[in-house]
PDB file of all heavy atoms in Angstrom:
ATOM      1  N   GLY A 239     -14.315   6.197 -16.008  1.00  0.00           N
ATOM      2  CA  GLY A 239     -13.226   5.363 -15.578  1.00  0.00           C
ATOM      3  C   GLY A 239     -13.606   4.340 -14.553  1.00  0.00           C
ATOM      4  O   GLY A 239     -12.875   3.355 -14.356  1.00  0.00           O
ATOM      5  N   VAL A 240     -14.708   4.557 -13.839  1.00  0.00           N
ATOM      6  CA  VAL A 240     -15.169   3.536 -12.861  1.00  0.00           C
ATOM      7  C   VAL A 240     -15.673   2.305 -13.594  1.00  0.00           C
ATOM      8  O   VAL A 240     -15.481   1.175 -13.117  1.00  0.00           O
ATOM      9  CB  VAL A 240     -16.264   4.136 -11.934  1.00  0.00           C
ATOM     10  CG1 VAL A 240     -16.729   3.092 -10.935  1.00  0.00           C
ATOM     11  CG2 VAL A 240     -15.729   5.368 -11.202  1.00  0.00           C
ATOM     12  N   THR A 242     -14.926   1.412 -16.864  1.00  0.00           N
ATOM     13  CA  THR A 242     -13.993   0.784 -17.842  1.00  0.00           C
ATOM     14  C   THR A 242     -13.304  -0.437 -17.223  1.00  0.00           C
ATOM     15  O   THR A 242     -12.977  -1.373 -17.940  1.00  0.00           O
ATOM     16  CB  THR A 242     -12.906   1.778 -18.299  1.00  0.00           C
ATOM     17  OG1 THR A 242     -12.253   2.336 -17.171  1.00  0.00           O
ATOM     18  CG2 THR A 242     -13.540   2.897 -19.109  1.00  0.00           C
ATOM     19  N   GLU A 243     -13.154  -0.436 -15.903  1.00  0.00           N
ATOM     20  CA  GLU A 243     -12.557  -1.603 -15.277  1.00  0.00           C
ATOM     21  C   GLU A 243     -13.497  -2.797 -15.172  1.00  0.00           C
ATOM     22  O   GLU A 243     -13.111  -3.869 -14.736  1.00  0.00           O
ATOM     23  CB  GLU A 243     -12.024  -1.180 -13.880  1.00  0.00           C
ATOM     24  CG  GLU A 243     -10.772  -0.244 -13.989  1.00  0.00           C
ATOM     25  CD  GLU A 243     -10.226   0.163 -12.683  1.00  0.00           C
ATOM     26  OE1 GLU A 243      -9.780  -0.703 -11.956  1.00  0.00           O
ATOM     27  OE2 GLU A 243     -10.264   1.389 -12.369  1.00  0.00           O
ATOM     28  N   ALA A 298     -14.299  -1.166  -7.123  1.00  0.00           N
ATOM     29  CA  ALA A 298     -14.697   0.228  -6.736  1.00  0.00           C
ATOM     30  C   ALA A 298     -16.221   0.227  -6.404  1.00  0.00           C
ATOM     31  O   ALA A 298     -16.621   0.769  -5.357  1.00  0.00           O
ATOM     32  CB  ALA A 298     -14.400   1.186  -7.862  1.00  0.00           C
ATOM     33  N   GLY A 403     -12.287   8.280 -11.495  1.00  0.00           N
ATOM     34  CA  GLY A 403     -12.568   7.830 -12.844  1.00  0.00           C
ATOM     35  C   GLY A 403     -13.213   8.845 -13.742  1.00  0.00           C
ATOM     36  O   GLY A 403     -14.009   8.542 -14.583  1.00  0.00           O
ATOM     37  N   ILE A 426      -8.934  10.455  -7.651  1.00  0.00           N
ATOM     38  CA  ILE A 426      -8.358   9.224  -8.095  1.00  0.00           C
ATOM     39  C   ILE A 426      -8.648   9.038  -9.595  1.00  0.00           C
ATOM     40  O   ILE A 426      -9.796   8.905  -9.944  1.00  0.00           O
ATOM     41  CB  ILE A 426      -8.881   8.015  -7.326  1.00  0.00           C
ATOM     42  CG1 ILE A 426      -8.796   8.259  -5.808  1.00  0.00           C
ATOM     43  CG2 ILE A 426      -8.184   6.710  -7.686  1.00  0.00           C
ATOM     44  CD1 ILE A 426      -9.549   7.183  -4.957  1.00  0.00           C
ATOM     45  N   ASN A 427      -7.626   9.028 -10.423  1.00  0.00           N
ATOM     46  CA  ASN A 427      -7.845   8.848 -11.861  1.00  0.00           C
ATOM     47  C   ASN A 427      -6.616   8.236 -12.514  1.00  0.00           C
ATOM     48  O   ASN A 427      -5.468   8.499 -12.085  1.00  0.00           O
ATOM     49  CB  ASN A 427      -8.206  10.156 -12.526  1.00  0.00           C
ATOM     50  CG  ASN A 427      -8.880   9.981 -13.837  1.00  0.00           C
ATOM     51  OD1 ASN A 427      -9.887   9.250 -13.962  1.00  0.00           O
ATOM     52  ND2 ASN A 427      -8.392  10.697 -14.856  1.00  0.00           N
ATOM     53  N   ARG A 428      -6.828   7.431 -13.500  1.00  0.00           N
ATOM     54  CA  ARG A 428      -5.726   6.723 -14.149  1.00  0.00           C
ATOM     55  C   ARG A 428      -4.716   7.672 -14.750  1.00  0.00           C
ATOM     56  O   ARG A 428      -3.530   7.441 -14.728  1.00  0.00           O
ATOM     57  CB  ARG A 428      -6.301   5.820 -15.228  1.00  0.00           C
ATOM     58  CG  ARG A 428      -5.247   4.923 -15.928  1.00  0.00           C
ATOM     59  CD  ARG A 428      -5.865   4.240 -17.105  1.00  0.00           C
ATOM     60  NE  ARG A 428      -6.956   3.375 -16.745  1.00  0.00           N
ATOM     61  CZ  ARG A 428      -6.811   2.050 -16.447  1.00  0.00           C
ATOM     62  NH1 ARG A 428      -5.620   1.465 -16.505  1.00  0.00           N
ATOM     63  NH2 ARG A 428      -7.856   1.338 -16.138  1.00  0.00           N
ATOM     64  N   SER A 429      -5.230   8.806 -15.257  1.00  0.00           N
ATOM     65  CA  SER A 429      -4.317   9.815 -15.849  1.00  0.00           C
ATOM     66  C   SER A 429      -4.554  11.153 -15.141  1.00  0.00           C
ATOM     67  O   SER A 429      -5.532  11.363 -14.438  1.00  0.00           O
ATOM     68  CB  SER A 429      -4.604   9.980 -17.355  1.00  0.00           C
ATOM     69  OG  SER A 429      -5.964  10.292 -17.572  1.00  0.00           O
ATOM     70  N   ILE A 441      -4.302  10.633  -6.449  1.00  0.00           N
ATOM     71  CA  ILE A 441      -3.791   9.307  -6.680  1.00  0.00           C
ATOM     72  C   ILE A 441      -3.953   8.991  -8.181  1.00  0.00           C
ATOM     73  O   ILE A 441      -5.095   8.892  -8.650  1.00  0.00           O
ATOM     74  CB  ILE A 441      -4.461   8.262  -5.821  1.00  0.00           C
ATOM     75  CG1 ILE A 441      -4.338   8.603  -4.345  1.00  0.00           C
ATOM     76  CG2 ILE A 441      -3.891   6.854  -6.109  1.00  0.00           C
ATOM     77  CD1 ILE A 441      -5.089   7.650  -3.424  1.00  0.00           C
ATOM     78  N   THR A 442      -2.883   8.863  -8.899  1.00  0.00           N
ATOM     79  CA  THR A 442      -2.950   8.630 -10.359  1.00  0.00           C
ATOM     80  C   THR A 442      -2.796   7.126 -10.627  1.00  0.00           C
ATOM     81  O   THR A 442      -1.763   6.651 -11.094  1.00  0.00           O
ATOM     82  CB  THR A 442      -1.837   9.411 -11.077  1.00  0.00           C
ATOM     83  OG1 THR A 442      -1.881  10.757 -10.618  1.00  0.00           O
ATOM     84  CG2 THR A 442      -2.109   9.439 -12.615  1.00  0.00           C
ATOM     85  N   GLU A 443      -3.870   6.383 -10.336  1.00  0.00           N
ATOM     86  CA  GLU A 443      -3.923   4.967 -10.478  1.00  0.00           C
ATOM     87  C   GLU A 443      -5.361   4.589 -10.840  1.00  0.00           C
ATOM     88  O   GLU A 443      -6.307   5.347 -10.558  1.00  0.00           O
ATOM     89  CB  GLU A 443      -3.495   4.216  -9.219  1.00  0.00           C
ATOM     90  CG  GLU A 443      -2.048   4.449  -8.766  1.00  0.00           C
ATOM     91  CD  GLU A 443      -1.755   3.763  -7.449  1.00  0.00           C
ATOM     92  OE1 GLU A 443      -2.261   2.627  -7.278  1.00  0.00           O
ATOM     93  OE2 GLU A 443      -1.047   4.365  -6.619  1.00  0.00           O
ATOM     94  N   PRO A 444      -5.593   3.404 -11.411  1.00  0.00           N
ATOM     95  CA  PRO A 444      -6.959   2.953 -11.702  1.00  0.00           C
ATOM     96  C   PRO A 444      -7.768   2.906 -10.424  1.00  0.00           C
ATOM     97  O   PRO A 444      -7.347   2.395  -9.395  1.00  0.00           O
ATOM     98  CB  PRO A 444      -6.778   1.566 -12.303  1.00  0.00           C
ATOM     99  CG  PRO A 444      -5.385   1.619 -12.878  1.00  0.00           C
ATOM    100  CD  PRO A 444      -4.567   2.440 -11.958  1.00  0.00           C
ATOM    101  N   ILE A 445      -8.998   3.434 -10.471  1.00  0.00           N
ATOM    102  CA  ILE A 445      -9.844   3.518  -9.310  1.00  0.00           C
ATOM    103  C   ILE A 445     -10.108   2.186  -8.639  1.00  0.00           C
ATOM    104  O   ILE A 445     -10.107   2.050  -7.387  1.00  0.00           O
ATOM    105  CB  ILE A 445     -11.168   4.245  -9.665  1.00  0.00           C
ATOM    106  CG1 ILE A 445     -12.146   4.377  -8.444  1.00  0.00           C
ATOM    107  CG2 ILE A 445     -11.890   3.560 -10.814  1.00  0.00           C
ATOM    108  CD1 ILE A 445     -11.723   5.362  -7.446  1.00  0.00           C
ATOM    109  N   GLY A 446     -10.361   1.137  -9.457  1.00  0.00           N
ATOM    110  CA  GLY A 446     -10.663  -0.200  -8.859  1.00  0.00           C
ATOM    111  C   GLY A 446      -9.494  -0.744  -8.088  1.00  0.00           C
ATOM    112  O   GLY A 446      -9.667  -1.337  -7.009  1.00  0.00           O
ATOM    113  N   GLU A 447      -8.267  -0.531  -8.574  1.00  0.00           N
ATOM    114  CA  GLU A 447      -7.082  -1.040  -7.896  1.00  0.00           C
ATOM    115  C   GLU A 447      -6.877  -0.330  -6.577  1.00  0.00           C
ATOM    116  O   GLU A 447      -6.435  -0.926  -5.605  1.00  0.00           O
ATOM    117  CB  GLU A 447      -5.824  -0.881  -8.795  1.00  0.00           C
ATOM    118  CG  GLU A 447      -5.871  -1.706 -10.069  1.00  0.00           C
ATOM    119  CD  GLU A 447      -4.612  -1.524 -10.909  1.00  0.00           C
ATOM    120  OE1 GLU A 447      -3.634  -0.948 -10.415  1.00  0.00           O
ATOM    121  OE2 GLU A 447      -4.644  -1.987 -12.094  1.00  0.00           O
ATOM    122  N   VAL A 448      -7.141   0.975  -6.566  1.00  0.00           N
ATOM    123  CA  VAL A 448      -6.984   1.751  -5.333  1.00  0.00           C
ATOM    124  C   VAL A 448      -8.046   1.294  -4.312  1.00  0.00           C
ATOM    125  O   VAL A 448      -7.730   1.018  -3.142  1.00  0.00           O
ATOM    126  CB  VAL A 448      -7.167   3.230  -5.635  1.00  0.00           C
ATOM    127  CG1 VAL A 448      -7.219   4.057  -4.303  1.00  0.00           C
ATOM    128  CG2 VAL A 448      -6.044   3.747  -6.518  1.00  0.00           C
ATOM    129  N   MET A 449      -9.308   1.190  -4.709  1.00  0.00           N
ATOM    130  CA  MET A 449     -10.374   0.862  -3.790  1.00  0.00           C
ATOM    131  C   MET A 449     -10.257  -0.547  -3.220  1.00  0.00           C
ATOM    132  O   MET A 449     -10.674  -0.837  -2.114  1.00  0.00           O
ATOM    133  CB  MET A 449     -11.720   1.037  -4.498  1.00  0.00           C
ATOM    134  CG  MET A 449     -12.035   2.463  -4.984  1.00  0.00           C
ATOM    135  SD  MET A 449     -12.254   3.616  -3.634  1.00  0.00           S
ATOM    136  CE  MET A 449     -14.053   3.422  -3.424  1.00  0.00           C
ATOM    137  N   ALA A 450      -9.636  -1.430  -4.015  1.00  0.00           N
ATOM    138  CA  ALA A 450      -9.457  -2.804  -3.568  1.00  0.00           C
ATOM    139  C   ALA A 450      -8.514  -2.887  -2.367  1.00  0.00           C
ATOM    140  O   ALA A 450      -8.538  -3.850  -1.622  1.00  0.00           O
ATOM    141  CB  ALA A 450      -8.939  -3.679  -4.693  1.00  0.00           C
ATOM    142  N   GLN A 451      -7.684  -1.854  -2.166  1.00  0.00           N
ATOM    143  CA  GLN A 451      -6.737  -1.855  -1.068  1.00  0.00           C
ATOM    144  C   GLN A 451      -7.291  -1.241   0.248  1.00  0.00           C
ATOM    145  O   GLN A 451      -6.647  -1.279   1.261  1.00  0.00           O
ATOM    146  CB  GLN A 451      -5.496  -1.020  -1.487  1.00  0.00           C
ATOM    147  CG  GLN A 451      -4.775  -1.572  -2.667  1.00  0.00           C
ATOM    148  CD  GLN A 451      -3.636  -0.681  -3.080  1.00  0.00           C
ATOM    149  OE1 GLN A 451      -2.713  -0.456  -2.300  1.00  0.00           O
ATOM    150  NE2 GLN A 451      -3.689  -0.129  -4.343  1.00  0.00           N
TER     151      GLN A 451
END
Side-chain angles (χ1 to χ4, degrees):
V240 180
T242 53
E243 292 180 62
I426 308 170
N427 200 49
R428 186 188 299 267
S429 57
I441 303 175
T442 312
E443 297 176 38
I445 179 73
E447 295 180 13
V448 173
M449 299 291 271
Q451 299 176 61

